[in-house]
Amino acid sequence: MVRVCHALSAKGLIAGQDGNVSVRIASDRLLVTPAGFAKGWLDPDDLVEVSLDGARVAGRHAPSSELGLHLSAYRARPDVGAVVHAHPVTATAFALVGESIPDGVLAELMLTVGPVALARYAHPGTDELGRLVSPHFVAHDAVLLANHGAVTLGRTLDEALFAMESLEHGARMIHLARQLGGVVTLETAACEALRAARRRARDDAAAGAALQETTE
Ligand SMILES: [Zn+2]
């Protein structure tokens, strides 16, 4: 988690005390970043263990003010093992103009992140934010938060980090392509093939994880 926090800072996906990260460490337990710390300077001792109802179990600091957002993801999706919230510059610019990242244009984004939702604005750190974003988690691993930032989900922490990186990378490409004269949308058949490939990859990974569990 500390490595991922440092990466978010080094890659410019957060600034100052922005952003928060969590990992499911048991069916009813999470590790989450502390409130109000610069994530680029975080130490392992700073992390906070909480239960799925949000109560602190271990750690010397208060959990992230966005804990409710993270909890809403774990409650909505039992397959989710990690959540990353950041303020990626270009992707958040889309959220600032009230637009999501267009689907059906960038092959790699469709394969690695899938469709990106845009959730309505709510004040950061409130239950209202989790309530508005939660329905989008059912069918999306990446959600833009209107006038705020982005959230990505993963089965693992690396997956959630890579989704955040890919989201920003894709947003930059689409923004540049628009400046060059416009984005060409993929044909329906090409989109279907990409969606099917993503579904297969996820099913294979889920089957692999289940097999590992039964053989352990
Ligand atoms: Zn934020």
Side-chain angles (χ1 to χ4, degrees):
M1 277 181 77
V2 167
R3 184 171 53 83
V4 165
C5 285
H6 292 183
L8 287 170
S9 175
K11 290 167 190 284
L13 296 165
I14 53 173
Q17 299 183 346
D18 287 355
N20 26 79
V21 172
S22 67
V23 174
R24 199 198 291 263
I25 53 171
S27 58
D28 61 345
R29 287 280 191 280
L30 310 179
L31 263 189
V32 65
T33 46
F37 275 63
K39 307 308 175 297
W41 302 339
L42 210 64
D43 286 321
D45 289 355
D46 295 326
L47 298 173
V48 187
E49 186 177 337
V50 297
S51 60
L52 263 194
D53 58 11
R56 182 170 57 180
V57 176
R60 32 189 190 131
H61 306 299
S64 166
S65 59
E66 293 293 12
L67 178 61
L69 180 66
H70 291 247
L71 292 171
S72 70
Y74 293 107
R75 290 188 192 121
R77 291 268 301 275
D79 63 310
V80 164
V83 178
V84 169
H85 165 53
H87 302 158
V89 172
T90 320
T92 303
F94 276 79
L96 288 176
V97 297
E99 193 187 334
S100 186
I101 308 297
D103 192 28
V105 296
L106 196 53
E108 203 58 36
L109 191 64
M110 293 178 73
L111 286 171
T112 56
V113 179
V116 181
L118 172 65
R120 280 169 44 214
Y121 179 78
H123 191 84
T126 58
D127 291 345
E128 173 79 354
L129 181 61
R131 195 181 64 73
L132 286 178
V133 179
S134 182
H136 297 291
F137 286 144
V138 175
H140 300 87
D141 290 339
V143 181
L144 295 182
L145 311 176
N147 303 83
H148 179 172
V151 190
T152 53
L153 315 180
R155 287 161 298 190
T156 64
L157 188 51
D158 282 352
E159 209 174 74
L161 171 68
F162 296 161
M164 186 62 75
E165 290 181 5
S166 297
L167 175 69
E168 173 60 12
H169 207 64
R172 278 167 57 196
M173 288 184 212
I174 292 166
H175 173 56
L176 276 175
R178 284 179 174 178
Q179 291 177 328
L180 287 171
V183 173
V184 176
T185 304
L186 285 164
E187 301 279 349
T188 307
C191 288
E192 283 311 315
L194 289 163
R195 290 181 188 121
R198 176 169 167 79
R199 273 196 301 275
R200 268 198 310 279
R202 295 179 69 79
D203 289 349
D204 288 352
L211 185 66
Q212 199 178 0
E213 261 173 38
T214 53
T215 52
E216 268 172 8

